[in-house]
Amino acid sequence: MTATGRAVSTILDVLPASVIRRAARRYLGGATVFEAMDVARSLAAQGMPVTLAVVGEAAATPEYADQHVRELLTVTDAVAGTELDVRLGVKLTGLGLVFDPELARAHLLVIADAAAAAGCVVEVDMEQARYVDHTLGTVRAARRTMSNVEAVVQAELYRTASDVRGLIAGHIPARVVKGAYKEGRAHAYGRPEVIRDSYLDVVRQFLEAGVHVGVATHDEYLIYHVLRMAEELGVSSDAYEFQMLKGIEEDLRAALVRSGHPVRVTVNFGADAHKWALRRLKENPEVVRHMLTSIRQ
Ligand SMILES: Cc1cc2nc3c(=O)[nH]c(=O)nc-3n(C[C@H](O)[C@H](O)[C@H](O)COP(=O)(O)OP(=O)(O)OC[C@H]3O[C@@H](n4cnc5c(N)ncnc54)[C@H](O)[C@@H]3O)c2cc1C
């Protein structure tokens, strides 16, 4: 951990839990699916569909993975019969990928089936570089029978340009992200400007191929250039959507919606959401700066 990271960790350890809870509320969708659905309804009223993600740990046992599947199915149950545009964000490590990739595949199919019945798309998050082969393989396998399963690619990875060609050849839509895991030189570009170039190249490949792409970023440089690119290529706004995490860059998000651009908000929720958020806060001093600002407001 860096010196700033250690300082941030110390601040978080001395802040009362109630203060952290209040501040984290801005970034989370609550502890239960009912609270998350309230957030979904409120965002829908502001013109924004959502992706709901149940936060959890990587499953170390079949029992934990089963429990996580049950939590995900509460979302499809809650969405079924509503008019809401809700996607489901799923991490294969939560479904057992670490100890049994076949189990994770089977669980994903169960979730995709329930999601299809509820009218939902399932987005399979991309995790550490060591899981990319399994994750993309699982998405491709699921797509043979379920057209509502989509992929995620990380612009920071060297391999992504070639992975994207494979996804496009299979007409598999994807969310593009910079990449949240510290992968190092063996796998990933390190310079922010190179990651941005890679990000824009990947988005261009999807737009040119006419395969739907989720532009998941809060980086206004990328958003500006994707808008210019869409204009230059003459693609309509149903070819892509911006995606942002709840509570982050809300002014930019609102400006995009006002200008008629599609924006989806990812809402993380769950019984362990506060514990999970606290760990993420300790990892990311930038979020803590936002959090401390929001406590003052
Ligand atoms: C919808 C969505 C889904 C994602 N899914 C995945 C995934 O499946 N796999 C994966 O590896 N990564 C995922 N990520 C994370 C992504 O890889 C980046 O780590 C993250 O989005 C930060 O990069 P950025 O493009 O927003 O640009 P940055 O340059 O990091 O951020 C731009 C601006 O946004 C603000 N900001 C960014 N993130 C935060 C934050 N957490 N809290 C407060 N402020 C912030 C910063 O202040 C900065 O000014 C996802 C991100 C989004 C938005």
Side-chain angles (χ1 to χ4, degrees), residues 194-253:
V194 178
I195 298 171
R196 277 177 167 169
D197 283 349
S198 164
Y199 194 105
L200 292 171
D201 286 344
V202 168
V203 172
R204 180 178 285 275
Q205 285 193 59
F206 278 101
L207 291 181
E208 285 182 344
V211 177
H212 191 268
V213 62
V215 180
T217 183
H218 318 96
D219 183 344
E220 65 182 358
Y221 177 91
L222 290 179
I223 290 170
Y224 170 81
H225 283 282
V226 168
L227 290 173
R228 294 285 76 77
M229 195 189 294
E231 218 171 79
E232 171 208 322
L233 297 173
V235 298
S236 69
S237 59
D238 54 10
Y240 62 89
E241 67 181 14
F242 292 103
Q243 299 185 349
M244 296 191 185
L245 301 174
K246 180 178 185 290
I248 299 175
E249 294 291 355
E250 290 175 324
D251 291 343
L252 178 57
R253 186 180 89 183

Short mmCIF file of all heavy atoms in Angstrom, two decimals, residues 194-253:
data_model
loop_
_atom_site.label_atom_id
_atom_site.label_comp_id
_atom_site.label_asym_id
_atom_site.label_seq_id
_atom_site.Cartn_x
_atom_site.Cartn_y
_atom_site.Cartn_z
N VAL A 194 -1.76 5.70 -23.07
CA VAL A 194 -1.80 4.51 -23.93
C VAL A 194 -3.11 3.73 -23.67
O VAL A 194 -3.76 3.24 -24.60
CB VAL A 194 -0.57 3.61 -23.69
CG1 VAL A 194 -0.63 2.36 -24.55
CG2 VAL A 194 0.71 4.39 -23.98
N ILE A 195 -3.49 3.67 -22.39
CA ILE A 195 -4.75 2.98 -22.07
C ILE A 195 -5.93 3.71 -22.73
O ILE A 195 -6.85 3.09 -23.27
CB ILE A 195 -4.93 2.86 -20.53
CG1 ILE A 195 -3.79 2.02 -19.95
CG2 ILE A 195 -6.28 2.26 -20.19
CD1 ILE A 195 -3.71 2.00 -18.44
N ARG A 196 -5.86 5.04 -22.72
CA ARG A 196 -6.93 5.80 -23.40
C ARG A 196 -6.94 5.50 -24.90
O ARG A 196 -8.00 5.31 -25.50
CB ARG A 196 -6.70 7.30 -23.21
CG ARG A 196 -7.22 7.83 -21.89
CD ARG A 196 -6.88 9.29 -21.80
NE ARG A 196 -7.59 9.96 -20.72
CZ ARG A 196 -7.30 11.18 -20.31
NH1 ARG A 196 -6.29 11.86 -20.86
NH2 ARG A 196 -8.01 11.74 -19.35
N ASP A 197 -5.75 5.46 -25.54
CA ASP A 197 -5.70 5.16 -26.98
C ASP A 197 -6.28 3.79 -27.25
O ASP A 197 -7.06 3.59 -28.19
CB ASP A 197 -4.24 5.19 -27.49
CG ASP A 197 -3.73 6.61 -27.67
OD1 ASP A 197 -4.56 7.55 -27.61
OD2 ASP A 197 -2.51 6.78 -27.87
N SER A 198 -5.87 2.82 -26.41
CA SER A 198 -6.37 1.46 -26.57
C SER A 198 -7.90 1.45 -26.42
O SER A 198 -8.62 0.81 -27.19
CB SER A 198 -5.70 0.56 -25.54
OG SER A 198 -6.40 -0.64 -25.41
N TYR A 199 -8.39 2.18 -25.42
CA TYR A 199 -9.84 2.25 -25.15
C TYR A 199 -10.59 2.74 -26.40
O TYR A 199 -11.57 2.15 -26.86
CB TYR A 199 -10.10 3.20 -23.98
CG TYR A 199 -11.48 3.11 -23.40
CD1 TYR A 199 -11.71 2.48 -22.18
CD2 TYR A 199 -12.58 3.67 -24.05
CE1 TYR A 199 -12.99 2.40 -21.65
CE2 TYR A 199 -13.85 3.58 -23.54
CZ TYR A 199 -14.05 2.96 -22.34
OH TYR A 199 -15.33 2.87 -21.81
N LEU A 200 -10.07 3.83 -26.98
CA LEU A 200 -10.76 4.42 -28.14
C LEU A 200 -10.68 3.48 -29.34
O LEU A 200 -11.64 3.36 -30.11
CB LEU A 200 -10.16 5.79 -28.46
CG LEU A 200 -10.46 6.85 -27.37
CD1 LEU A 200 -9.67 8.13 -27.63
CD2 LEU A 200 -11.97 7.15 -27.30
N ASP A 201 -9.54 2.78 -29.51
CA ASP A 201 -9.42 1.82 -30.62
C ASP A 201 -10.47 0.71 -30.48
O ASP A 201 -11.09 0.30 -31.46
CB ASP A 201 -8.03 1.17 -30.63
CG ASP A 201 -6.97 2.13 -31.15
OD1 ASP A 201 -7.34 3.16 -31.76
OD2 ASP A 201 -5.77 1.86 -30.93
N VAL A 202 -10.63 0.23 -29.25
CA VAL A 202 -11.58 -0.87 -29.02
C VAL A 202 -13.01 -0.39 -29.31
O VAL A 202 -13.77 -1.07 -30.01
CB VAL A 202 -11.45 -1.37 -27.56
CG1 VAL A 202 -12.61 -2.30 -27.21
CG2 VAL A 202 -10.13 -2.09 -27.35
N VAL A 203 -13.36 0.78 -28.80
CA VAL A 203 -14.72 1.29 -29.05
C VAL A 203 -14.94 1.46 -30.56
O VAL A 203 -15.99 1.08 -31.10
CB VAL A 203 -14.96 2.62 -28.30
CG1 VAL A 203 -16.29 3.25 -28.71
CG2 VAL A 203 -14.92 2.40 -26.79
N ARG A 204 -13.93 1.98 -31.25
CA ARG A 204 -14.05 2.17 -32.71
C ARG A 204 -14.32 0.84 -33.41
O ARG A 204 -15.16 0.75 -34.30
CB ARG A 204 -12.77 2.82 -33.27
CG ARG A 204 -12.81 3.05 -34.77
CD ARG A 204 -11.56 3.75 -35.26
NE ARG A 204 -11.55 5.16 -34.93
CZ ARG A 204 -12.12 6.12 -35.67
NH1 ARG A 204 -12.74 5.80 -36.79
NH2 ARG A 204 -12.07 7.37 -35.30
N GLN A 205 -13.60 -0.22 -32.98
CA GLN A 205 -13.81 -1.53 -33.62
C GLN A 205 -15.27 -1.97 -33.51
O GLN A 205 -15.86 -2.44 -34.46
CB GLN A 205 -12.93 -2.60 -32.96
CG GLN A 205 -11.46 -2.52 -33.33
CD GLN A 205 -10.75 -3.81 -32.88
OE1 GLN A 205 -11.11 -4.90 -33.31
NE2 GLN A 205 -9.75 -3.67 -32.03
N PHE A 206 -15.85 -1.78 -32.30
CA PHE A 206 -17.26 -2.18 -32.12
C PHE A 206 -18.19 -1.31 -32.97
O PHE A 206 -19.10 -1.82 -33.63
CB PHE A 206 -17.66 -2.09 -30.63
CG PHE A 206 -17.24 -3.28 -29.84
CD1 PHE A 206 -16.11 -3.24 -29.02
CD2 PHE A 206 -17.94 -4.48 -29.91
CE1 PHE A 206 -15.70 -4.34 -28.29
CE2 PHE A 206 -17.54 -5.60 -29.18
CZ PHE A 206 -16.42 -5.53 -28.36
N LEU A 207 -17.97 0.00 -32.94
CA LEU A 207 -18.87 0.90 -33.68
C LEU A 207 -18.79 0.62 -35.17
O LEU A 207 -19.81 0.57 -35.86
CB LEU A 207 -18.52 2.36 -33.39
CG LEU A 207 -18.81 2.87 -31.97
CD1 LEU A 207 -18.44 4.34 -31.85
CD2 LEU A 207 -20.27 2.67 -31.59
N GLU A 208 -17.57 0.42 -35.68
CA GLU A 208 -17.44 0.17 -37.12
C GLU A 208 -18.09 -1.15 -37.52
O GLU A 208 -18.61 -1.28 -38.62
CB GLU A 208 -15.96 0.18 -37.53
CG GLU A 208 -15.40 1.60 -37.55
CD GLU A 208 -13.94 1.68 -37.99
OE1 GLU A 208 -13.23 0.65 -37.99
OE2 GLU A 208 -13.51 2.81 -38.30
N ALA A 209 -18.05 -2.13 -36.60
CA ALA A 209 -18.61 -3.45 -36.91
C ALA A 209 -20.13 -3.49 -36.68
O ALA A 209 -20.78 -4.48 -37.03
CB ALA A 209 -17.94 -4.51 -36.05
N GLY A 210 -20.67 -2.44 -36.04
CA GLY A 210 -22.12 -2.45 -35.77
C GLY A 210 -22.49 -3.42 -34.66
O GLY A 210 -23.61 -3.92 -34.61
N VAL A 211 -21.56 -3.69 -33.75
CA VAL A 211 -21.86 -4.54 -32.58
C VAL A 211 -21.98 -3.61 -31.37
O VAL A 211 -21.09 -2.78 -31.12
CB VAL A 211 -20.75 -5.60 -32.35
CG1 VAL A 211 -21.04 -6.43 -31.10
CG2 VAL A 211 -20.63 -6.51 -33.58
N HIS A 212 -23.07 -3.75 -30.62
CA HIS A 212 -23.36 -2.79 -29.54
C HIS A 212 -22.23 -2.75 -28.51
O HIS A 212 -21.66 -3.78 -28.14
CB HIS A 212 -24.67 -3.16 -28.84
CG HIS A 212 -25.17 -2.08 -27.92
ND1 HIS A 212 -24.84 -2.04 -26.59
CD2 HIS A 212 -25.92 -0.98 -28.16
CE1 HIS A 212 -25.40 -0.97 -26.04
NE2 HIS A 212 -26.07 -0.31 -26.97
N VAL A 213 -21.92 -1.54 -28.05
CA VAL A 213 -20.81 -1.38 -27.11
C VAL A 213 -21.23 -0.50 -25.93
O VAL A 213 -21.89 0.52 -26.11
CB VAL A 213 -19.56 -0.82 -27.83
CG1 VAL A 213 -19.79 0.56 -28.43
CG2 VAL A 213 -18.34 -0.80 -26.91
N GLY A 214 -20.85 -0.94 -24.73
CA GLY A 214 -21.06 -0.14 -23.52
C GLY A 214 -19.79 0.64 -23.23
O GLY A 214 -18.73 0.03 -23.04
N VAL A 215 -19.89 1.94 -23.22
CA VAL A 215 -18.71 2.79 -23.00
C VAL A 215 -18.69 3.13 -21.50
O VAL A 215 -19.28 4.10 -21.06
CB VAL A 215 -18.81 4.07 -23.88
CG1 VAL A 215 -17.60 4.96 -23.66
CG2 VAL A 215 -18.95 3.69 -25.34
N ALA A 216 -18.02 2.26 -20.73
CA ALA A 216 -18.06 2.38 -19.27
C ALA A 216 -16.86 3.18 -18.78
O ALA A 216 -15.75 2.65 -18.68
CB ALA A 216 -18.09 0.99 -18.64
N THR A 217 -17.09 4.44 -18.53
CA THR A 217 -16.01 5.31 -18.06
C THR A 217 -16.60 6.58 -17.47
O THR A 217 -17.72 6.97 -17.82
CB THR A 217 -15.06 5.69 -19.23
OG1 THR A 217 -13.98 6.47 -18.72
CG2 THR A 217 -15.76 6.46 -20.33
N HIS A 218 -15.81 7.21 -16.58
CA HIS A 218 -16.17 8.55 -16.10
C HIS A 218 -15.19 9.57 -16.64
O HIS A 218 -15.16 10.70 -16.20
CB HIS A 218 -16.15 8.60 -14.56
CG HIS A 218 -16.75 7.40 -13.93
ND1 HIS A 218 -16.01 6.32 -13.51
CD2 HIS A 218 -18.04 7.09 -13.69
CE1 HIS A 218 -16.81 5.40 -13.02
NE2 HIS A 218 -18.05 5.83 -13.12
N ASP A 219 -14.34 9.13 -17.54
CA ASP A 219 -13.24 9.97 -18.04
C ASP A 219 -13.78 10.85 -19.17
O ASP A 219 -14.10 10.36 -20.26
CB ASP A 219 -12.13 9.03 -18.56
CG ASP A 219 -10.90 9.79 -19.04
OD1 ASP A 219 -10.99 11.01 -19.28
OD2 ASP A 219 -9.85 9.13 -19.18
N GLU A 220 -13.85 12.16 -18.91
CA GLU A 220 -14.51 13.02 -19.91
C GLU A 220 -13.72 13.10 -21.21
O GLU A 220 -14.28 13.35 -22.26
CB GLU A 220 -14.81 14.41 -19.34
CG GLU A 220 -13.59 15.22 -18.99
CD GLU A 220 -13.96 16.57 -18.38
OE1 GLU A 220 -15.16 16.90 -18.28
OE2 GLU A 220 -13.02 17.30 -18.02
N TYR A 221 -12.41 12.85 -21.15
CA TYR A 221 -11.62 12.82 -22.39
C TYR A 221 -12.14 11.69 -23.30
O TYR A 221 -12.37 11.89 -24.49
CB TYR A 221 -10.15 12.59 -22.03
CG TYR A 221 -9.23 12.47 -23.23
CD1 TYR A 221 -8.59 13.59 -23.76
CD2 TYR A 221 -9.00 11.23 -23.83
CE1 TYR A 221 -7.75 13.48 -24.87
CE2 TYR A 221 -8.17 11.11 -24.94
CZ TYR A 221 -7.54 12.24 -25.45
OH TYR A 221 -6.72 12.12 -26.54
N LEU A 222 -12.35 10.53 -22.71
CA LEU A 222 -12.85 9.40 -23.50
C LEU A 222 -14.27 9.67 -23.99
O LEU A 222 -14.62 9.37 -25.14
CB LEU A 222 -12.82 8.12 -22.67
CG LEU A 222 -11.43 7.57 -22.36
CD1 LEU A 222 -11.53 6.31 -21.50
CD2 LEU A 222 -10.66 7.26 -23.65
N ILE A 223 -15.08 10.22 -23.11
CA ILE A 223 -16.48 10.48 -23.49
C ILE A 223 -16.52 11.46 -24.65
O ILE A 223 -17.22 11.24 -25.65
CB ILE A 223 -17.28 10.99 -22.26
CG1 ILE A 223 -17.43 9.83 -21.26
CG2 ILE A 223 -18.64 11.55 -22.68
CD1 ILE A 223 -17.97 10.21 -19.91
N TYR A 224 -15.72 12.52 -24.56
CA TYR A 224 -15.66 13.50 -25.65
C TYR A 224 -15.28 12.81 -26.97
O TYR A 224 -15.93 12.99 -28.00
CB TYR A 224 -14.63 14.59 -25.29
CG TYR A 224 -14.32 15.52 -26.44
CD1 TYR A 224 -15.17 16.58 -26.75
CD2 TYR A 224 -13.19 15.32 -27.23
CE1 TYR A 224 -14.90 17.42 -27.81
CE2 TYR A 224 -12.91 16.16 -28.30
CZ TYR A 224 -13.77 17.20 -28.58
OH TYR A 224 -13.50 18.02 -29.64
N HIS A 225 -14.23 11.99 -26.92
CA HIS A 225 -13.75 11.39 -28.17
C HIS A 225 -14.69 10.32 -28.70
O HIS A 225 -14.80 10.14 -29.92
CB HIS A 225 -12.32 10.86 -28.00
CG HIS A 225 -11.32 11.98 -28.04
ND1 HIS A 225 -10.91 12.57 -29.21
CD2 HIS A 225 -10.71 12.66 -27.05
CE1 HIS A 225 -10.08 13.56 -28.94
NE2 HIS A 225 -9.93 13.63 -27.64
N VAL A 226 -15.39 9.62 -27.82
CA VAL A 226 -16.37 8.63 -28.30
C VAL A 226 -17.54 9.36 -28.99
O VAL A 226 -18.02 8.93 -30.04
CB VAL A 226 -16.87 7.72 -27.15
CG1 VAL A 226 -18.08 6.89 -27.59
CG2 VAL A 226 -15.75 6.79 -26.68
N LEU A 227 -17.95 10.48 -28.43
CA LEU A 227 -19.03 11.25 -29.06
C LEU A 227 -18.61 11.74 -30.45
O LEU A 227 -19.37 11.64 -31.41
CB LEU A 227 -19.44 12.44 -28.18
CG LEU A 227 -20.17 12.06 -26.88
CD1 LEU A 227 -20.38 13.29 -26.00
CD2 LEU A 227 -21.51 11.40 -27.20
N ARG A 228 -17.36 12.24 -30.53
CA ARG A 228 -16.85 12.70 -31.85
C ARG A 228 -16.80 11.52 -32.82
O ARG A 228 -17.17 11.64 -33.98
CB ARG A 228 -15.43 13.28 -31.73
CG ARG A 228 -15.25 14.55 -30.94
CD ARG A 228 -15.74 15.78 -31.70
NE ARG A 228 -17.21 15.85 -31.70
CZ ARG A 228 -17.95 16.27 -30.68
NH1 ARG A 228 -17.38 16.68 -29.56
NH2 ARG A 228 -19.26 16.30 -30.75
N MET A 229 -16.33 10.37 -32.33
CA MET A 229 -16.18 9.18 -33.16
C MET A 229 -17.55 8.73 -33.70
O MET A 229 -17.69 8.41 -34.89
CB MET A 229 -15.58 8.06 -32.31
CG MET A 229 -15.03 6.90 -33.07
SD MET A 229 -14.60 5.57 -31.93
CE MET A 229 -13.28 6.23 -30.97
N ALA A 230 -18.55 8.73 -32.82
CA ALA A 230 -19.90 8.30 -33.23
C ALA A 230 -20.41 9.23 -34.33
O ALA A 230 -21.03 8.79 -35.31
CB ALA A 230 -20.83 8.29 -32.03
N GLU A 231 -20.11 10.52 -34.17
CA GLU A 231 -20.55 11.52 -35.16
C GLU A 231 -19.84 11.26 -36.50
O GLU A 231 -20.46 11.18 -37.55
CB GLU A 231 -20.14 12.89 -34.64
CG GLU A 231 -21.15 14.00 -34.91
CD GLU A 231 -20.70 15.22 -34.13
OE1 GLU A 231 -19.78 15.92 -34.60
OE2 GLU A 231 -21.25 15.44 -33.04
N GLU A 232 -18.50 11.09 -36.38
CA GLU A 232 -17.68 10.86 -37.59
C GLU A 232 -18.13 9.60 -38.34
O GLU A 232 -18.20 9.59 -39.56
CB GLU A 232 -16.22 10.74 -37.13
CG GLU A 232 -15.22 10.30 -38.19
CD GLU A 232 -14.04 9.56 -37.52
OE1 GLU A 232 -13.60 9.97 -36.43
OE2 GLU A 232 -13.58 8.56 -38.12
N LEU A 233 -18.46 8.54 -37.57
CA LEU A 233 -18.85 7.28 -38.22
C LEU A 233 -20.33 7.28 -38.63
O LEU A 233 -20.79 6.34 -39.29
CB LEU A 233 -18.58 6.09 -37.28
CG LEU A 233 -17.10 5.86 -36.91
CD1 LEU A 233 -16.98 4.76 -35.85
CD2 LEU A 233 -16.29 5.47 -38.15
N GLY A 234 -21.04 8.29 -38.15
CA GLY A 234 -22.47 8.38 -38.50
C GLY A 234 -23.30 7.29 -37.86
O GLY A 234 -24.31 6.87 -38.43
N VAL A 235 -22.88 6.82 -36.68
CA VAL A 235 -23.69 5.76 -36.03
C VAL A 235 -24.74 6.42 -35.13
O VAL A 235 -24.52 7.49 -34.58
CB VAL A 235 -22.82 4.79 -35.18
CG1 VAL A 235 -21.82 4.05 -36.06
CG2 VAL A 235 -22.12 5.51 -34.05
N SER A 236 -25.87 5.77 -35.00
CA SER A 236 -26.93 6.35 -34.17
C SER A 236 -26.69 5.97 -32.71
O SER A 236 -25.88 5.08 -32.40
CB SER A 236 -28.30 5.86 -34.63
OG SER A 236 -28.40 4.49 -34.31
N SER A 237 -27.44 6.64 -31.82
CA SER A 237 -27.17 6.44 -30.39
C SER A 237 -27.66 5.08 -29.89
O SER A 237 -27.45 4.75 -28.73
CB SER A 237 -27.76 7.58 -29.57
OG SER A 237 -29.15 7.61 -29.79
N ASP A 238 -28.32 4.29 -30.74
CA ASP A 238 -28.63 2.95 -30.24
C ASP A 238 -27.49 1.95 -30.52
O ASP A 238 -27.59 0.77 -30.19
CB ASP A 238 -30.00 2.42 -30.71
CG ASP A 238 -30.13 2.46 -32.21
OD1 ASP A 238 -29.11 2.71 -32.88
OD2 ASP A 238 -31.25 2.23 -32.71
N ALA A 239 -26.37 2.45 -31.07
CA ALA A 239 -25.20 1.59 -31.30
C ALA A 239 -24.32 1.47 -30.06
O ALA A 239 -23.45 0.61 -29.98
CB ALA A 239 -24.38 2.14 -32.45
N TYR A 240 -24.56 2.37 -29.08
CA TYR A 240 -23.69 2.39 -27.90
C TYR A 240 -24.47 2.97 -26.72
O TYR A 240 -25.54 3.57 -26.89
CB TYR A 240 -22.45 3.27 -28.16
CG TYR A 240 -22.80 4.71 -28.43
CD1 TYR A 240 -22.92 5.63 -27.41
CD2 TYR A 240 -23.09 5.14 -29.74
CE1 TYR A 240 -23.28 6.94 -27.66
CE2 TYR A 240 -23.45 6.44 -30.00
CZ TYR A 240 -23.55 7.34 -28.96
OH TYR A 240 -23.94 8.63 -29.20
N GLU A 241 -23.93 2.77 -25.53
CA GLU A 241 -24.46 3.50 -24.37
C GLU A 241 -23.30 3.80 -23.44
O GLU A 241 -22.34 3.02 -23.36
CB GLU A 241 -25.55 2.70 -23.63
CG GLU A 241 -25.05 1.44 -22.96
CD GLU A 241 -26.17 0.64 -22.26
OE1 GLU A 241 -27.35 0.88 -22.49
OE2 GLU A 241 -25.80 -0.26 -21.48
N PHE A 242 -23.37 4.94 -22.78
CA PHE A 242 -22.39 5.23 -21.74
C PHE A 242 -22.83 4.49 -20.48
O PHE A 242 -24.02 4.29 -20.25
CB PHE A 242 -22.30 6.74 -21.49
CG PHE A 242 -21.69 7.47 -22.65
CD1 PHE A 242 -22.47 8.20 -23.54
CD2 PHE A 242 -20.32 7.36 -22.89
CE1 PHE A 242 -21.89 8.82 -24.64
CE2 PHE A 242 -19.74 7.98 -23.99
CZ PHE A 242 -20.53 8.72 -24.86
N GLN A 243 -21.85 4.08 -19.69
CA GLN A 243 -22.16 3.40 -18.44
C GLN A 243 -21.31 4.01 -17.33
O GLN A 243 -20.10 4.19 -17.52
CB GLN A 243 -21.86 1.90 -18.55
CG GLN A 243 -22.69 1.19 -19.62
CD GLN A 243 -22.48 -0.31 -19.64
OE1 GLN A 243 -21.57 -0.83 -19.00
NE2 GLN A 243 -23.32 -1.02 -20.37
N MET A 244 -21.95 4.33 -16.23
CA MET A 244 -21.20 4.92 -15.10
C MET A 244 -21.64 4.25 -13.80
O MET A 244 -22.73 3.69 -13.72
CB MET A 244 -21.49 6.41 -15.00
CG MET A 244 -21.00 7.20 -16.21
SD MET A 244 -21.08 8.94 -15.88
CE MET A 244 -20.60 9.59 -17.47
N LEU A 245 -20.77 4.35 -12.79
CA LEU A 245 -21.11 3.80 -11.48
C LEU A 245 -21.94 4.82 -10.71
O LEU A 245 -21.71 6.03 -10.83
CB LEU A 245 -19.83 3.48 -10.70
CG LEU A 245 -18.87 2.49 -11.37
CD1 LEU A 245 -17.57 2.37 -10.56
CD2 LEU A 245 -19.51 1.11 -11.52
N LYS A 246 -22.89 4.32 -9.93
CA LYS A 246 -23.74 5.21 -9.13
C LYS A 246 -22.89 6.15 -8.28
O LYS A 246 -21.91 5.72 -7.67
CB LYS A 246 -24.64 4.36 -8.22
CG LYS A 246 -25.56 5.18 -7.34
CD LYS A 246 -26.47 4.29 -6.50
CE LYS A 246 -27.48 5.09 -5.70
NZ LYS A 246 -26.94 5.87 -4.60
N GLY A 247 -23.27 7.39 -8.30
CA GLY A 247 -22.64 8.37 -7.40
C GLY A 247 -21.42 9.06 -7.97
O GLY A 247 -20.87 9.96 -7.35
N ILE A 248 -20.96 8.65 -9.15
CA ILE A 248 -19.72 9.22 -9.69
C ILE A 248 -20.01 10.09 -10.92
O ILE A 248 -20.78 9.69 -11.79
CB ILE A 248 -18.72 8.10 -10.03
CG1 ILE A 248 -18.39 7.33 -8.75
CG2 ILE A 248 -17.45 8.65 -10.65
CD1 ILE A 248 -17.53 6.13 -8.93
N GLU A 249 -19.38 11.27 -10.94
CA GLU A 249 -19.52 12.20 -12.09
C GLU A 249 -20.99 12.38 -12.47
O GLU A 249 -21.36 12.30 -13.65
CB GLU A 249 -18.70 11.70 -13.29
CG GLU A 249 -17.19 11.70 -13.08
CD GLU A 249 -16.58 13.11 -12.98
OE1 GLU A 249 -17.30 14.13 -13.17
OE2 GLU A 249 -15.36 13.18 -12.70
N GLU A 250 -21.81 12.71 -11.47
CA GLU A 250 -23.25 12.78 -11.75
C GLU A 250 -23.61 13.97 -12.64
O GLU A 250 -24.59 13.92 -13.40
CB GLU A 250 -24.03 12.84 -10.43
CG GLU A 250 -23.95 11.51 -9.69
CD GLU A 250 -24.60 11.55 -8.33
OE1 GLU A 250 -24.51 12.60 -7.65
OE2 GLU A 250 -25.19 10.52 -7.94
N ASP A 251 -22.83 15.06 -12.55
CA ASP A 251 -23.14 16.23 -13.40
C ASP A 251 -22.89 15.90 -14.87
O ASP A 251 -23.68 16.25 -15.74
CB ASP A 251 -22.28 17.44 -12.99
CG ASP A 251 -22.69 17.96 -11.62
OD1 ASP A 251 -23.81 17.60 -11.18
OD2 ASP A 251 -21.91 18.70 -11.01
N LEU A 252 -21.76 15.23 -15.12
CA LEU A 252 -21.43 14.82 -16.49
C LEU A 252 -22.49 13.86 -17.02
O LEU A 252 -22.97 13.97 -18.16
CB LEU A 252 -20.04 14.16 -16.48
CG LEU A 252 -19.49 13.61 -17.79
CD1 LEU A 252 -19.42 14.68 -18.85
CD2 LEU A 252 -18.09 13.01 -17.55
N ARG A 253 -22.89 12.94 -16.16
CA ARG A 253 -23.92 11.96 -16.50
C ARG A 253 -25.22 12.67 -16.89
O ARG A 253 -25.82 12.37 -17.92
CB ARG A 253 -24.14 11.10 -15.25
CG ARG A 253 -25.03 9.94 -15.37
CD ARG A 253 -25.11 9.23 -14.03
NE ARG A 253 -26.19 9.77 -13.22
CZ ARG A 253 -26.46 9.38 -11.97
NH1 ARG A 253 -25.70 8.48 -11.37
NH2 ARG A 253 -27.47 9.89 -11.32
#
